[in-house]
Amino acid sequence: MNGSNDHPDLCPINKNDFGMKAAIFERYGAPEVVQIKDVPQPVPGPNDILIRIHATSVSSGDARIRRADPFAVRFVFGFPKPRRKILGYTFSGVVAAIGASVSQFKPGDEVFGSTDMRMGAHAEYLCFPENGVVIPKPAQLSHEEAACLPFGAHTALHYLQLAKVGPGQKVLIFGASGAVGSAAVQIAKILGAHVTGVCSTANLEFVRTLGADAVLDYTKSDQRPQADHFDVVYETVNKTPLSNCFSPLKKGGKLILGAALLKGMIAGQFKGLLEGKKVLAGVALIDLPKLHQISKWATEGRLKAMIDKTYALEEITEAHRYVDGGRKRGAVAVRV
Ligand SMILES: NC(=O)c1ccc[n+]([C@@H]2O[C@H](COP(=O)([O-])OP(=O)(O)OC[C@H]3O[C@@H](n4cnc5c(N)ncnc54)[C@H](OP(=O)(O)O)[C@@H]3O)[C@@H](O)[C@H]2O)c1
């Protein structure tokens, strides 16, 4: 692998005897199961890049895997304990070294992306295939912003594309202040929709600043969404009763149950069949075209990473605790 020592982010050749700090979880459970430990630094194979991570994020997805919530997480990530011991779905950093066959990146390049289901970004270094979901970081974005964009934005983009949201459509977004919801409001506006965001009183102004045309406070009984009015309803947080998701939808409209678990998905599909409304649910996987699209909008200043709080890697247990609270406004960044 290629690299040099004259830049703080670059690695000397053959560093397999070097260590790094990483947030390790060896069992599922409360935030305290995550502990900072010294572990061997990963060594890139011929097609890999080694990234010195500058920022990552603790997402609701990381917290769910840590808690094994739902139980089925264990079938994917390891039973009875996690197979992959480092969480972290998104990253932003600098290429520290490259494998012998790597052609698209060079040491010193600033990059950001997503590890997808491999996880592993809650660490000082990450080894990553050069053809993975990693692209140059827009110069306008800080590492924290770049690390906090993909989780919410790719999920929102996936579902809004699936629902074929376009100009003039009326879109209602429940959970509009979360990581996914805050991205969904911005992306639905970019796609030309008329957007109504639903959140609690404390977040009304925040959702307005994201570009929502209208905001509704779900704590106020006189602010219920208009019935039979919306082309698309996107429930991003799995907190809204199914009947409240269906009633604002026009006949033939689309309901996105973006955070529903299996039981909710099945109930939604049945109700959708009965009411003549289409239900979209499932896993939103990230890919390169989506990351490029997100990056382009961010570069143009049309899509912003909303960062609620920033923690140091050493404080990651605290970051998990905050995410578990379920009240974050946008994303939680971790500076590495
Ligand atoms: N399908 C997929 O592939 C996929 C991908 C990514 C994420 N997800 C799932 O999507 C969900 C949302 O993720 P996220 O990161 O956006 O969550 P998040 O940021 O943790 O959501 C926090 C937001 O939820 C709102 N909220 C809390 N309680 C509420 C309630 N009772 N009613 C309405 N809103 C409430 C809060 O706003 P207020 O304080 O204003 O209520 C807060 O801003 C998670 O369950 C995640 O697992 C699924």
Side-chain angles (χ1 to χ4, degrees), residues 126-141:
L126 174 71
C127 223
F128 207 66
E130 72 161 331
N131 60 2
V133 184
V134 54
I135 62 174
K137 176 181 86 62
Q140 297 89 329
L141 301 191

Side-chain angles (χ1 to χ4, degrees), residues 59-61 64 67 69 89 117 151-152 154-156 158-159 174-182 198-204 206-207 218-219 234-240 257-261 265 281-285 323-331:
S59 68
S60 55
R64 294 198 90 135
R67 298 194 303 261
D69 165 27
Y89 180 83
M117 295 299 196
F151 178 82
H154 100 266
T155 307
H158 167 88
Y159 281 119
F174 287 106
S177 52
V180 178
S182 61
V198 185
C199 57
S200 66
T201 316
N203 286 324
L204 291 172
F206 172 71
V207 174
Y218 67 78
T219 69
Y234 185 176
E235 210 292 340
T236 67
V237 282
N238 199 25
K239 302 274 173 146
T240 315
L257 294 176
L261 303 180
M265 287 183 206
V283 178
L285 294 176
V323 174
D324 275 4
R327 291 278 167 198
K328 70 185 166 60
R329 202 183 251 189

Side-chain angles (χ1 to χ4, degrees), residues 109-134:
D109 286 352
E110 291 197 324
V111 293
F112 82 119
S114 169
T115 60
D116 210 349
M117 295 299 196
R118 287 189 214 102
M119 313 307 278
H122 292 171
E124 288 181 321
Y125 288 90
L126 174 71
C127 223
F128 207 66
E130 72 161 331
N131 60 2
V133 184
V134 54

Side-chain angles (χ1 to χ4, degrees), residues 213-235:
D213 300 287
V215 288
L216 295 174
D217 184 340
Y218 67 78
T219 69
K220 303 266 164 56
S221 55
D222 61 345
Q223 294 196 23
R224 297 278 171 260
Q226 196 179 328
D228 306 316
H229 180 72
F230 293 91
D231 301 287
V232 174
V233 172
Y234 185 176
E235 210 292 340

Side-chain angles (χ1 to χ4, degrees), residues 24-279:
I24 304 289
F25 84 125
E26 298 188 278
R27 59 192 168 90
Y28 298 109
E32 294 68 30
V33 298
V34 181
Q35 307 228 317
I36 301 297
K37 290 196 176 162
D38 286 312
V39 296
Q41 192 177 298
V43 180
N47 299 306
D48 294 337
I49 57 178
L50 181 72
I51 300 165
R52 168 66 175 99
I53 295 179
H54 281 233
T56 176
S57 169
V58 176
S59 68
S60 55
D62 291 309
R64 294 198 90 135
I65 297 169
R66 191 210 74 234
R67 298 194 303 261
D69 165 27
F71 190 83
V73 159
R74 294 169 192 258
F75 300 117
V76 179
F77 290 92
F79 190 89
K81 54 188 186 181
R83 266 191 308 273
R84 295 174 199 133
K85 298 190 170 26
I86 307 176
L87 291 165
Y89 180 83
T90 58
F91 59 86
S92 180
V94 174
V95 176
I98 58 173
S101 308
V102 168
S103 57
Q104 299 173 57
F105 297 98
K106 60 181 188 319
D109 286 352
E110 291 197 324
V111 293
F112 82 119
S114 169
T115 60
D116 210 349
M117 295 299 196
R118 287 189 214 102
M119 313 307 278
H122 292 171
E124 288 181 321
Y125 288 90
L126 174 71
C127 223
F128 207 66
E130 72 161 331
N131 60 2
V133 184
V134 54
I135 62 174
K137 176 181 86 62
Q140 297 89 329
L141 301 191
S142 67
H143 283 294
E144 283 86 354
E145 288 167 330
C148 284
L149 251 187
F151 178 82
H154 100 266
T155 307
L157 179 58
H158 167 88
Y159 281 119
L160 294 172
Q161 278 180 341
L162 209 60
K164 299 191 171 60
V165 167
Q169 287 198 331
K170 295 191 185 75
V171 175
L172 178 70
I173 297 170
F174 287 106
S177 52
V180 178
S182 61
V185 170
Q186 297 179 77
I187 294 174
K189 281 304 300 173
I190 293 171
L191 297 175
H194 182 279
V195 178
T196 303
V198 185
C199 57
S200 66
T201 316
N203 286 324
L204 291 172
E205 195 46 41
F206 172 71
V207 174
R208 241 182 237 117
T209 63
L210 297 172
D213 300 287
V215 288
L216 295 174
D217 184 340
Y218 67 78
T219 69
K220 303 266 164 56
S221 55
D222 61 345
Q223 294 196 23
R224 297 278 171 260
Q226 196 179 328
D228 306 316
H229 180 72
F230 293 91
D231 301 287
V232 174
V233 172
Y234 185 176
E235 210 292 340
T236 67
V237 282
N238 199 25
K239 302 274 173 146
T240 315
L242 211 47
S243 54
N244 293 4
C245 296
F246 273 101
S247 59
L249 258 188
K250 285 179 184 166
K251 189 112 182 148
K254 292 169 191 152
L255 170 61
I256 303 167
L257 294 176
L261 303 180
L262 190 59
K263 198 173 150 200
M265 287 183 206
I266 294 170
Q269 293 296 351
F270 270 117
K271 199 165 166 55
L273 281 174
L274 291 175
E275 296 202 10
K277 295 167 181 175
K278 194 171 171 57
V279 174

